[in-house]
Amino acid sequence: MAETVRRLGLWNERADSEINLNFDHIWEVQKRLSQAAVAAGFSFAIPTRFFTRSTMTPACSAYPKADGTAIPPQTLSDTFDRDAADLARLGRTSQFPRNFTFLSALSFTIVLQATWEFLLISVYPALFNGGLAGLFYTYLWTFAGFSLVVSSLAEMASMAPTSGGQYHWVSESAPPRWQKLLSYITGWQATLAWQAGTASGSLLIGTIVQGLIGVNDPDYISQNWRGTLLIFAMVLVLCLTNVYGAGWLADVQIFLFMLHVVVFIVIIGCLWGLAEHRSGMAVFTEFYNGGGWQSTGVSVMIGQVSAIYGAIASDAAAHMAEEVKDASLAVPRAIVWTYLINGIMGLILILSFTFAIPNIEDSLNDTTGFPFLYVFRKAMPPGATTALTVGVLVLAMASNITFNVATSRQAFAFARDKGLPFSGWISKVHPTLRVPVNAILLTCAINLLLSLVNIGSAVALNAIISLTTGADLVHLSRYLTPDGVWEEQE
């Protein structure tokens, strides 16, 4: 930074050799840096938070665009002006009310990611391919590996707080000749991942309801078509809530976050206090190759899908950036803190759950199809099992609702940049509701279509979860390296 300022002729020598930027020159610094970027062949603008907040004072009366011209004067006396300036620099204007504060955005993302809930629900693949030890170790290295991705995503969200997220950041970072292609590919990967994620959440909820019915009625026969009807009901709730309930969505997130914590504490307490516990040797050293793969290592890697499923989606805050106050600060902080809070809760859940499983094969062969229901039934009476499962179900539904919100915003942004078919229709914002109704309807329609697979295939749940994590891994893997990975080639 110091070398850049010195070259621009804005260095002010001091006795202690520290940088002392005149606040009146901040706009000039940004203008010259933007012009230098354009001259070098790049089309992105310098982020407004290139400087820390301490230097962003009302003395700065305007922001430069990438071509060096000024955006109409903005004062930085309040958050709204900073957010408007951020969007204007990115060539966008605000179309949504900014109802989310940092705390509500953090709560929104924590509830959406729902790490411990979806680890509990989707633990079957990891137990079947990996066993107790496989589940534990895959979660550890997934959490460590994804932390690099999350850090990079948060950094880019601070520089370009837009609902487009990854495809926009790729466009800003890639060499000019690859800009459009790489951004387009990334946009489609993100769209597929988010749409499949919404569908997988609905599938899980429908099958959990059937499993809960089976706990209370041993004669109940779970059938795929019944689960699909439950999915349809969930999609109807998603549609109505996200179209007509957007105004109060931000207000309920803190309550849902508190519920997320309370139910977690109750479940952990029951697993610690009521379940019979296995030995540490069994938990940390016993692997299980239920799929019959050629080696235990291959089996464990295949079972890692459960850990990945619980680790994704902390970047949801980025897709809500245009509805968050002070987005360039609040969004990256929400991304990082969501990952840390949910990640620690997930680790505690994994340890508590693996010690409480009496028998792996019995849990995998349970008639409900969910090992966690088997563990609950073994540790607690039917009434307590039902109550805890309802708590998990409510949180899973809340996660699916918020997931649908983020998915629709991502689709809206990609359509706004002409990345999807029928972009003009998808990117419309309702004039009174002030939500992208068409993008919400599209997301719900895709959800319904994917759920139809469940009627004919018993493995549809694992297939859609794999589609979600696979698309996510491909489009997130490019963020394992620092933002400077793309360099202009001569």
Side-chain angles (χ1 to χ4, degrees):
M1 174 64 189
E3 180 63 24
T4 301
V5 174
R6 182 183 291 108
R7 289 179 179 178
L8 290 171
L10 295 171
W11 177 262
N12 186 356
E13 297 289 349
R14 297 181 61 184
D16 56 2
S17 300
E18 293 181 349
I19 297 175
N20 180 25
L21 289 176
N22 186 324
F23 291 156
D24 294 334
H25 290 167
I26 290 179
W27 179 86
E28 185 66 23
V29 173
Q30 287 193 318
K31 176 180 176 180
R32 294 190 188 183
L33 288 173
S34 296
Q35 289 173 328
V38 173
F42 294 95
S43 63
F44 59 89
I46 300 301
T48 58
R49 296 307 173 89
F50 190 90
F51 303 96
T52 62
R53 175 174 287 181
S54 62
T55 63
M56 301 297 287
T57 69
C60 307
S61 59
Y63 281 86
K65 296 180 182 177
D67 60 2
T69 61
I71 292 170
Q74 302 277 352
T75 63
L76 301 181
S77 56
D78 57 61
T79 299
F80 174 81
D81 288 336
R82 287 193 297 269
D83 289 325
D86 282 344
L87 277 182
R89 175 178 49 80
L90 297 172
R92 295 286 176 258
T93 58
S94 180
Q95 295 178 271
F96 306 114
R98 292 187 180 269
N99 295 325
F100 287 86
T101 62
F102 164 69
L103 184 57
S104 57
L106 174 66
S107 301
F108 174 93
T109 314
I110 287 175
V111 171
L112 183 150
Q113 188 181 33
T115 296
W116 72 260
E117 292 94 334
F118 283 107
L119 281 173
L120 194 65
I121 294 169
S122 64
V123 74
Y124 186 101
L127 290 179
F128 189 71
N129 285 294
L132 301 178
L135 173 61
F136 174 72
Y137 291 118
T138 56
Y139 183 80
L140 280 185
W141 72 55
T142 298
F143 180 73
F146 260 78
S147 65
L148 304 177
V149 177
V150 169
S151 299
S152 187
L153 290 174
E155 175 64 19
M156 286 180 281
S158 72
M159 295 188 292
T162 169
S163 296
Q166 286 87 341
Y167 78 84
H168 187 99
W169 304 330
V170 168
S171 177
E172 291 192 347
S173 303
R177 64 176 176 272
W178 297 107
Q179 223 171 20
K180 291 184 179 180
L181 176 62
L182 292 176
S183 178
Y184 185 70
I185 292 174
T186 303
W188 269 103
Q189 289 170 346
T191 300
L192 290 174
W194 280 96
Q195 295 292 340
T198 304
S200 68
S202 299
L203 271 171
L204 285 170
I205 290 168
T207 50
I208 289 173
V209 171
Q210 288 198 99
L212 186 57
I213 295 173
V215 169
N216 292 278
D217 182 7
D219 296 328
Y220 177 78
I221 299 176
S222 177
Q223 296 182 355
N224 289 347
W225 67 268
R226 290 176 177 173
T228 301
L229 290 179
L230 291 170
I231 294 170
F232 285 3
M234 183 68 233
V235 173
L236 180 62
V237 172
L238 291 177
C239 186
L240 294 177
T241 302
N242 290 333
V243 170
Y244 298 104
W248 49 265
L249 189 64
D251 299 330
V252 302
Q253 296 307 311
I254 298 175
F255 167 76
L256 291 173
F257 171 49
M258 294 171 61
L259 184 64
H260 171 83
V261 174
V262 169
V263 176
F264 171 79
I265 293 173
V266 172
I267 288 177
I268 295 301
C270 290
L271 293 177
W272 286 1
L274 300 177
E276 296 183 5
H277 295 148
R278 299 171 67 96
S279 67
M281 182 68 69
V283 171
F284 299 119
T285 64
E286 291 185 6
F287 294 88
Y288 184 83
N289 186 358
W293 297 94
Q294 61 267 35
S295 69
T296 300
V298 172
S299 179
V300 169
M301 294 299 293
I302 292 172
Q304 189 181 359
V305 66
S306 294
I308 296 172
Y309 195 59
I312 60 176
S314 66
D315 62 312
H319 300 300
M320 300 299 295
E322 295 177 29
E323 300 174 51
V324 178
K325 298 174 183 176
D326 203 9
S328 56
L329 280 180
V331 168
R333 290 176 178 175
I335 291 174
V336 172
W337 280 109
T338 291
Y339 189 74
L340 292 176
I341 293 171
N342 272 344
I344 293 171
M345 294 175 78
L347 179 60
I348 295 172
L349 186 279
I350 290 294
L351 287 171
S352 303
F353 183 75
T354 50
F355 272 97
I357 298 179
N359 184 285
I360 293 181
E361 292 187 353
D362 289 346
S363 68
L364 293 173
N365 295 325
D366 190 73
T367 56
T368 65
F370 289 97
F372 84 91
L373 288 176
Y374 164 81
V375 173
F376 283 3
R377 290 207 320 275
K378 289 294 183 180
M380 294 169 283
T385 298
T386 300
L388 289 183
T389 305
V390 169
V392 174
L393 185 61
V394 168
L395 288 169
M397 292 177 65
S399 171
N400 206 32
I401 290 172
T402 53
F403 207 105
N404 182 277
V405 175
T407 301
S408 64
R409 301 312 189 265
Q410 190 278 334
F412 156 81
F414 197 36
R416 180 177 60 184
D417 288 327
K418 312 300 181 186
L420 296 174
F422 310 106
S423 291
W425 181 81
I426 298 172
S427 60
K428 285 185 179 179
V429 177
H430 196 280
T432 55
L433 297 173
R434 300 190 68 184
V435 294
V437 173
N438 294 342
I440 294 172
L441 294 176
L442 173 67
T443 300
C444 291
I446 294 174
N447 197 335
L448 291 175
L449 290 174
L450 288 176
S451 69
L452 294 176
V453 179
N454 188 55
I455 296 176
S457 173
V459 297
L461 176 62
N462 288 338
I464 290 185
I465 290 177
S466 298
L467 175 63
T468 306
T469 54
D472 254 318
L473 281 176
V474 171
H475 96 269
L476 289 178
S477 62
R478 67 188 70 239
Y479 302 106
L480 281 169
T481 53
D483 297 340
V485 65
W486 299 110
E487 296 181 1
E488 179 67 359
Q489 304 294 326
E490 294 296 337

